[in-house]
Amino acid sequence: DTGVSQDPRHKITKRGQNVTFRCDPISEHNRLYWYRQTLGQGPEFLTYFQNEAQLEKSRLLSDRFSAERPKGSFSTLEIQRTEQGDSAMYLCASSLALREFGDTQYFGPGTRLTVL
Amino acid sequence: GENVEQHPSTLSVQEGDSAVIKCTYSDSASNYFPWYKQELGKRPQLIIDIRSNVGEKKDQRIAVTLNKTAKHFSLHITETQPEDSAVYFCAASINAGGTSYGKLTFGQGTILTVHP
């Protein structure tokens, strides 16, 4: 499968624990996005990278959230001291952002986080 | 920031009928408008997109129209089939390839049900 992959697909944790999710983008894609989706809502932007650089972070992303893309390939999203309000589907998307082609984003299957 | 409103929130049609979903956006700088289909428990899948330099785009039974002046765009599905049943999301972004902002702002979603 050459699409965007995410691991784990499901994560159940207790409040106060730290969790880390991984996203592997489509191999030649230079941009990687993280979104959060709660039930019945559209995805909400969290942050994105162009290669290794984190170019923008949403105000939704509190200090407990951190994301990295150390070698411009896979990315990790860590949530520290999880709260019940963090329960959601965390989606990753990647794109090949070239001036002449625009920035079409392809999504991974998501990681569903449940905080007890 | 950008705000995208989507209507209706639910849409029920008979197989073979047409379905229309409408979205409005607030930021006149937005120039890229994708539509995603999301089946229960699955990833959002891009079904069609349009850029602001065209007013209409069609792909088999799916078409999208854009009115930049009024800042709204619509998804049209003709000859609907039961497998078209899903949640559909519109989105908007400022997209110019390598130098774009890229992040998508999504609408709230439309639950489309096609009855056989």
Side-chain angles (χ1 to χ4, degrees), chain A residues 1 3-4 9 31 33 35 37 40-43 45 48 50 56 91 97-99 101-109, chain B residues 1 32 36 38 41-46 49 51 89 93 95-109:
Chain A
D1 186 355
V4 180
R9 297 290 306 277
R31 280 200 179 168
Y33 297 80
Y35 293 85
Q37 185 177 29
Q41 300 295 316
F45 169 78
Y48 86 100
Q50 178 145 330
E56 187 175 354
L91 292 164
L98 298 176
R99 186 181 302 274
F101 295 123
D103 190 6
T104 300
Q105 297 180 32
Y106 298 92
F107 282 83
Chain B
Y32 175 63
Y36 286 86
Q38 188 174 30
K42 301 285 184 67
R43 72 186 74 194
Q45 289 199 306
L46 179 73
D49 57 9
R51 301 180 193 279
F89 292 99
S93 75
N95 186 315
T99 59
S100 75
Y101 294 105
K103 68 178 182 183
L104 293 171
T105 301
F106 284 83
Q108 299 88 339

Side-chain angles (χ1 to χ4, degrees), chain A residues 31-51:
Chain A
R31 280 200 179 168
L32 188 149
Y33 297 80
W34 286 99
Y35 293 85
R36 181 170 65 189
Q37 185 177 29
T38 53
L39 200 62
Q41 300 295 316
E44 293 178 295
F45 169 78
L46 294 178
T47 188
Y48 86 100
F49 295 83
Q50 178 145 330
N51 301 314

